[in-house]
Amino acid sequence: MDEKNLAVQFEADRPHLTRVAYRMLGSPAEADDAVQETWLRLSRAGAGEVGNLTGWLTTVVARISLDMLRKRKSRREEPVDPRKPEPAAPAAEPDRERELADSVGIALLVVLEALEPAERIAFVLHDMFDLPFDQIARILGRTPVATRQLASRARRRVQGTRKDRDVRAERGVVDAFLAAAREGNFEGLLKALDPQVVMRGDDAAVRMGGPRQLSGSAAVAKAFQGRAQMARFILANGAPAIVVAPNGHLLLVLGVGFREGKITAIEAIADPERLARFNFALPEG
């Protein structure tokens, strides 16, 4: 197959490859890099004897994404030199990034980010894209049985729930609270809050502009009115919580306490060390 026809076929598969890479990496820029590297490898290799080009491309972009995830994880584990400034973040395309994040689900992106690279690859490729375990095993360098176990472990983390509380009822209260916040519905906010609700924030949350402490439903409702556009319900260490994750990037966790179907306490946590200790999961249903 000549390069022109190869390019045509690749462009037809580009949206699929971008979806695969984004679900693995959670970053539009990194997903684009992975897809571009896939094209470079294809152009060097040619179509040759490839019978299923889409399958071949999916395997290649998955391997590239796995390498990127492993490098990302190793960078996070390196000791940080406090004298060295952090690199500037690349410019983002807000509309495109928001579209990609919404297509996956902001809360799911937060959960996926907490998985180990191999778990994330196994879960995404099998549960989201229906790839067989023997194919994923070749990408990961594991046996099909071990790969199945990775996906199962990831699935349990993604779909975690609590048995000792009515999570669905609590989620209903939080979802109604967040909907009222986004709509600027003050009465709707008051309806979800206990009159004596207390909200507290850690030092990092206060530096972001949040309150140190608020007491009473009116004060808390006013603080949320017209906000919470990127907030979603999630389970954090098995407890009901709200994540604030612009375009899927974890910024803030709000722990939520309940009594008799009302929100009685909100704790805003933004300290990176505390955020790193959370085990996130999506509620069932």
Side-chain angles (χ1 to χ4, degrees):
M1 184 183 297
D2 60 40
E3 186 168 337
K4 181 178 179 181
N5 288 329
L6 204 61
V8 170
Q9 289 208 21
F10 180 83
E11 288 304 319
D13 279 324
R14 183 185 288 274
H16 164 73
L17 298 175
T18 300
R19 288 193 296 271
V20 172
Y22 182 69
R23 281 158 176 75
M24 293 181 186
L25 297 166
S27 162
E30 288 185 321
D32 285 344
D33 288 346
V35 172
Q36 183 61 26
E37 177 61 25
T38 302
W39 162 248
L40 293 175
R41 295 190 187 185
L42 174 63
S43 62
R44 289 195 295 265
E49 301 299 320
V50 176
N52 179 358
L53 185 59
T54 299
W56 187 89
L57 291 170
T58 301
T59 297
V60 172
V61 80
R63 285 175 173 156
I64 293 168
S65 298
L66 177 61
D67 288 342
M68 295 172 74
L69 285 172
R70 285 170 171 165
K71 289 177 182 177
R72 183 196 295 173
K73 187 173 188 296
S74 67
R75 287 197 301 270
R76 288 175 180 167
E77 291 175 350
E78 291 173 357
V80 177
D81 183 348
R83 298 166 297 179
K84 184 177 180 181
E86 293 186 4
E93 301 175 49
D95 291 341
R96 179 169 176 270
E97 189 165 341
R98 189 177 301 112
E99 180 182 350
L100 283 169
D102 288 345
S103 72
V104 182
I106 290 171
L108 177 57
L109 284 176
V110 173
V111 177
L112 291 178
E113 187 66 23
L115 299 177
E116 292 296 315
E119 291 176 336
R120 186 165 181 166
I121 296 294
F123 175 78
V124 167
L125 290 181
H126 183 265
D127 285 45
M128 294 185 175
F129 292 98
D130 296 321
L131 264 67
F133 283 119
D134 57 349
Q135 184 176 340
I136 303 170
R138 290 193 293 271
I139 295 170
L140 295 174
R142 308 283 183 99
T143 66
V145 171
T147 302
R148 185 186 296 273
Q149 290 172 343
L150 284 171
S152 178
R153 186 161 66 237
R155 195 177 302 116
R156 287 196 298 272
R157 294 184 66 182
V158 170
Q159 299 175 342
T161 189
R162 292 182 59 146
K163 297 180 180 179
D164 59 332
R165 301 183 66 166
D166 189 348
V167 174
R168 290 189 180 182
E170 291 170 341
R171 181 178 186 176
V173 174
V174 171
D175 284 347
F177 175 77
L178 294 177
R182 296 182 195 113
E183 296 165 3
N185 181 352
F186 189 76
E187 292 301 320
L189 287 164
L190 290 178
K191 186 176 179 181
L193 296 169
D194 183 272
Q196 305 302 317
V197 62
V198 175
M199 178 178 177
R200 296 183 177 88
D202 66 9
D203 290 341
V206 172
R207 287 195 296 271
M208 289 168 52
R212 172 70 67 184
Q213 180 169 325
L214 293 174
S215 299
S217 56
V220 174
K222 186 176 181 180
F224 279 90
Q225 191 174 16
R227 305 179 69 179
Q229 300 303 316
M230 289 294 173
R232 299 292 186 275
F233 181 86
I234 203 168
L235 295 176
N237 293 343
I242 298 167
V243 289
V244 179
N247 306 317
H249 305 300
L250 181 62
L251 184 67
L252 182 71
V253 171
L254 301 172
V256 185
F258 296 87
R259 184 174 61 243
E260 297 180 357
K262 301 280 187 178
I263 296 172
T264 58
I266 299 174
E267 182 185 9
I269 301 166
D271 180 81
E273 291 188 4
R274 295 182 70 189
L275 293 178
R277 291 196 291 269
F278 278 111
N279 180 22
F280 297 105
L282 296 180
E284 292 183 351

